[in-house]
Amino acid sequence: MKKIILTAIILLSCLSVKIASAQISLSINIGSQPEWGPTGYDHADYYYLPDIDSYYDVNAHQYVYMNNNAWVRGAALPPRYGNYDVYHSYKVVVNQRTPWVHNDVIRQKYSSYRGRRDQTVIRDSKEVKYTNHWRGDRGNSRRVVDHKTVRDDHRDDDPR
């Protein structure tokens, strides 16, 4: 009788043990990056544009820039940046949520990249991984767009 009870306990304990499982999350958004984006990155959430102290949201295909003391989003840059050339200016990949919340830190950290023109862009790359990248926004659009004010979503304390 003891053997039966002991065997039953061992069998039940084996059934109740959860087998460890591993999850691997890999996010690649090469196809979402514009052709003027920098090469060498399999994933980019935002590009910081140090020459104009603004951002580009890679996944939403929108610019985020300061307008009337508020961060706003737009499909195109405002007319005041009409001479800005996205193909020949330096872009810094920033993989964190709402990087503009920490703009003072980012501006200071990447101030040495202002005026640099030595970055290879996806359009000019011969790498196979960029063969079928997204070509929707060439950065030349100057159309008038409705601007949306960016609200702080309180996730800035949890960078990715």
Side-chain angles (χ1 to χ4, degrees), residues 17-23:
V17 173
K18 182 179 182 214
I19 297 174
S21 62
Q23 273 188 336

Side-chain angles (χ1 to χ4, degrees), residues 46-50 53-55 91-92 94 103 106-107 110:
Y46 294 94
Y47 298 144
Y48 174 62
L49 313 171
D53 195 29
S54 299
Y55 299 86
K91 281 78 59 183
V92 178
V94 180
N103 190 58
I106 290 173
R107 183 187 316 118
Y110 299 114

Side-chain angles (χ1 to χ4, degrees), residues 108-126:
Q108 183 178 6
K109 185 175 182 179
Y110 299 114
S111 63
S112 64
Y113 292 98
R114 290 186 75 128
R116 285 185 57 176
R117 306 285 184 256
D118 59 347
Q119 189 175 50
T120 303
V121 295
I122 292 172
R123 175 192 68 183
D124 300 337
S125 175
K126 304 297 182 214

Side-chain angles (χ1 to χ4, degrees), residues 8-156:
I9 291 173
I10 291 172
L11 181 64
L12 287 173
S13 65
C14 288
L15 293 174
S16 66
V17 173
K18 182 179 182 214
I19 297 174
S21 62
Q23 273 188 336
I24 298 175
S25 176
L26 179 62
S27 177
I28 298 176
N29 68 349
I30 292 173
S32 297
Q33 297 177 44
E35 65 180 3
W36 50 263
T39 60
Y41 298 92
D42 291 336
H43 179 83
D45 290 330
Y46 294 94
Y47 298 144
Y48 174 62
L49 313 171
D51 289 338
I52 59 173
D53 195 29
S54 299
Y55 299 86
Y56 181 76
D57 184 337
V58 174
N59 294 311
H61 307 296
Q62 291 184 325
Y63 294 93
V64 181
Y65 52 90
M66 185 64 77
N67 191 30
N68 293 328
N69 292 325
W71 288 98
V72 296
R73 289 180 171 268
L77 287 169
R80 71 177 180 260
Y81 299 127
N83 292 328
Y84 180 71
D85 183 358
V86 293
Y87 287 93
H88 297 101
S89 60
Y90 204 89
K91 281 78 59 183
V92 178
V93 172
V94 180
N95 288 328
Q96 69 182 45
R97 293 183 187 139
T98 60
W100 50 88
V101 173
H102 306 288
N103 190 58
D104 291 340
V105 173
I106 290 173
R107 183 187 316 118
Q108 183 178 6
K109 185 175 182 179
Y110 299 114
S111 63
S112 64
Y113 292 98
R114 290 186 75 128
R116 285 185 57 176
R117 306 285 184 256
D118 59 347
Q119 189 175 50
T120 303
V121 295
I122 292 172
R123 175 192 68 183
D124 300 337
S125 175
K126 304 297 182 214
E127 292 183 60
V128 175
K129 69 180 180 179
Y130 298 119
T131 303
N132 295 316
H133 68 277
W134 179 70
R135 296 177 186 266
D137 181 4
R138 295 186 178 270
N140 298 326
S141 175
R142 297 288 175 229
R143 66 183 184 272
V144 176
V145 296
D146 289 330
H147 303 288
K148 299 176 189 171
T149 301
V150 178
R151 304 265 186 245
D152 185 3
D153 60 6
H154 302 290
R155 292 184 297 176
D156 57 301

